[in-house]
Amino acid sequence: MMSLSRQDRTPNSNRGLDSVPPSRLKGVGPSIEKKLAAIGIFSVQDLLFHLPLRYEDRTKVTLAARARVGEYMQFEGEITSCDIQFGKRRSLRCSLRDSSGSMTLRFFHFSAAQKDSLAVGTQLRIYGEVKHGRAGFEIFHPEYKALAQAKQIPSDTLTPIYPTTEGLLQPRLRSIISQAVDLVIANTAIEDYLPNEIIQKLGLTNLTEAIKHIHRPPADAFGAWDREAPNPGRDRLAFEELLTHRISLRRLRNDSDSHAAPQFVGECQLIRGFLAQLPFDLTGGQRRAFSDIEHDLARPTPMLRLLQGDVGSGKTVVAALSALRAIDAGYQVAIMAPTEILAEQHAINFKNWFEPLGIEVGWHSGKQKGKPRAEQLARVASGECQILVGTHALFQDELEYRKLGLIIIDEQHRFGVQQRLALREKAASMNINPHQLVMTATPIPRTLAMSAYADLDNSIIDELPPGRTPVNTLIVSNERRGEVIERIAAACEENSQAYWVCTLIDESEVLQCQAAEVTAAQLAEHLPKVRVGLVHGRMKPAEKAQVMASFKAAEIDLLVATTVIEVGVDVPNASLMVIENPERLGLAQLHQLRGRVGRGSVKSHCILLYQTPLSRNGKERLSVMRESNDGFFIAEKDLELRGPGQVLGTAQTGLMQFRIADITRDANMLDDVKNAADFVLSHHPQIVDSLIRRWLGENIHYANV
Ligand code: ADP
Ligand code: MG
């Protein structure tokens, strides 16, 4: 995996600040040291690369009379009163007066010592957010310092705010990091691992300068921390960070390349048979993507390829062709989907396609129990089962393959880098190095493909099968729900079918399914002539399959569903989709859902039924859906509006949350990063470990600040 254990650290780099423990600094005892470790700080170098989230401008002192509500400002004055108030909530209230006027400071949590330090007559410098109080300006819980102890002049640099953890207060952390910065400035230059060739070619700023600039930017740099403004210090660090991420993924790739994989070459009878029974011709995009894959499968090292294509571009057929190549050579194939229902859908597809060719298709999920499970396991172990479809259970429990040659992952944006790597490790621990094909549900922006998927080669299906009509998307407020329901009645009257998608109110699947049940009942009541069906994730597989089949057979007119139908339902006669609370979903997911309509030749509509009030960002996101049917464009917009963590679905895991880089802002660096990574790996492999230790360290979690 990407994180290194402490023991892995190479002894020859133990000279610089990366081997000086934080406890060498003033005020760092065992308890603080533990807190620092919790946020991944084990050395003075780690302190230097613990980068601010944002800055505050405390370079100026404002007069009380010039305070502005809603702004963070700094003031100096004398305490003229200090007493405990017993209102709804007990609080400590002080008055602070300067030459221009006075304001109130209020503390809801305070100690006796704190009360003493705020005695009448004390001269203070305070910093905080100005609010409207009952008697003029008021600040809750300002940061404060007695002027006698403070430096006489306020800081001449911006004040950094760092990510921290419980029990490690911002001022304390700031002072510790500041000591580390002093060390760098005084003498101990921080070691610059980057080769000179790269620094010079790209004109990168000196590392020591960059570190200084990031922790202590000059006051006039405040604007320069805007996302767009140029900033050489930040750029230098962002480059190094992106480079390190890329290198770590490329190195994993190189590891994989050093293993042997089975080679699939020559004529493939099964593919001939499959194409002959397929009711359509492959598109040019499908042909090109499959030819990339065939080329990989013929090589003696494992394929690691990402297959991208817009919703409905026909990725499954390409996956099937790839599977046939492996099966023809006598190997097994595992197809992994992120949800049970999607896995079931694939199982049905592959059975329909492959059983006529005499291929045994198996099904495996964590929920499978008893005899069917034991039998399935046995057939996989004996090799009778040639292709196995399932969820991540395919690699989690006691499954043993006889001869696994290809893993296909239908990623649906839900498997992050981490799971992908874990899967590869699991395969390696089983002593197999199968080929791997990763399919995404919807396109990923190029910038993300270049960073989060840097270990994979990339194929794009760049055209849709002929005969699709673009979906017309409408954004409608929930206040007009009645009209929308009437519209469904009209559509069903014309023998068309419709979907009604309920999104989650919270993460709970139970509540989600209940909401869908309630909605289905209400719609059935409002629409007596319409046959309403319901499908959600908590139904038994057989029940689900039956409802889906009835909908496909047009025995159901309106299918109410949770977001489960996002996954491969294919009903060309469905021409209307209503999505409730679309503002809760990512654009990629909305696009994926919408892709369920517009599969036939009639004009289709998608109604995004939003809840008022809708935030500005929400409005903007939904209008992207109205304006475009192009998954690649939508993916770029989604990234811009939500950030990479959300888009990749890895926000919680901390992956792709860079300390300083921002792949949208820094997109223009990515080509240089790519070239520099190749250069480092081939010419300076000895710096790789140091860079990874500096930037990736261990996996850490920050408290919210
Ligand atoms: P996705 O890329 O979203 O996974 P699918 O593989 O589910 O798309 O394909 C969507 C639909 O398009 C399926 O019904 C499939 O049978 C059909 N399809 C795939 N390839 C073609 C093609 N070349 N011509 C016509 N229809 C196709
Ligand atoms: Mg698909």
Side-chain angles (χ1 to χ4, degrees), residues 280-283 286 310-316 465 468 570 599:
F280 45 73
D281 290 329
L282 298 182
T283 63
Q286 285 170 319
D310 208 341
V311 184
S313 62
K315 294 181 286 287
T316 323
R468 303 271 165 90
D570 202 20
R599 298 198 158 203

Side-chain angles (χ1 to χ4, degrees), residues 194-195 197-199 201-202 204 239-254 450-451 454-455 669-688 691-692:
L194 293 194
E197 295 98 313
I198 293 180
I199 294 176
K201 180 155 178 242
L202 302 177
L204 298 177
F239 182 86
E240 194 174 307
E241 183 175 31
L242 289 168
L243 177 70
T244 306
H245 273 262
R246 170 126 194 142
I247 284 176
S248 75
L249 284 173
R250 289 308 300 175
R251 194 169 66 164
L252 286 164
R253 174 54 188 261
N254 293 347
M450 282 183 77
S451 39
D455 54 328
M669 289 183 194
L670 290 173
D671 285 317
D672 287 337
V673 166
K674 179 168 180 266
N675 296 332
D678 292 343
F679 180 75
V680 167
L681 283 166
S682 52
H683 293 94
H684 300 271
Q686 77 285 359
I687 65 171
V688 168
L691 278 173
I692 289 180

Side-chain angles (χ1 to χ4, degrees), residues 136-156:
F137 299 122
E138 201 163 305
I139 299 185
F140 292 169
H141 287 273
E143 271 192 45
Y144 64 92
K145 205 161 206 172
L147 264 185
Q149 287 158 22
K151 287 188 202 131
Q152 279 317 296
I153 37 170
S155 161
D156 57 355

Side-chain angles (χ1 to χ4, degrees), residues 311-312 314-316 342 346 410 412 439-441 568 592 596 599:
V311 184
K315 294 181 286 287
T316 323
L342 178 54
H346 276 324
D410 200 353
Q412 208 85 6
M439 301 194 287
T440 63
Q592 176 74 6
R596 301 297 119 200
R599 298 198 158 203

Side-chain angles (χ1 to χ4, degrees), residues 152-168:
Q152 279 317 296
I153 37 170
S155 161
D156 57 355
T157 57
L158 298 175
T159 304
I161 306 297
Y162 297 101
T164 185
T165 184
E166 226 168 286
L168 181 59

Side-chain angles (χ1 to χ4, degrees), residues 13 15-16 18 45 49 189-194 207 240 694:
S13 59
R15 314 193 142 231
D18 60 337
Q45 166 171 290
F49 284 83
I190 177 90
E191 198 175 337
D192 195 340
Y193 303 131
L194 293 194
L207 182 61
E240 194 174 307
R694 173 179 284 175

Side-chain angles (χ1 to χ4, degrees), residues 644-662:
Q646 292 290 329
V647 171
L648 283 172
T650 55
Q652 296 90 335
T653 69
L655 262 168
M656 290 310 291
Q657 280 179 322
F658 295 110
R659 295 186 198 187
I660 192 159
D662 170 332

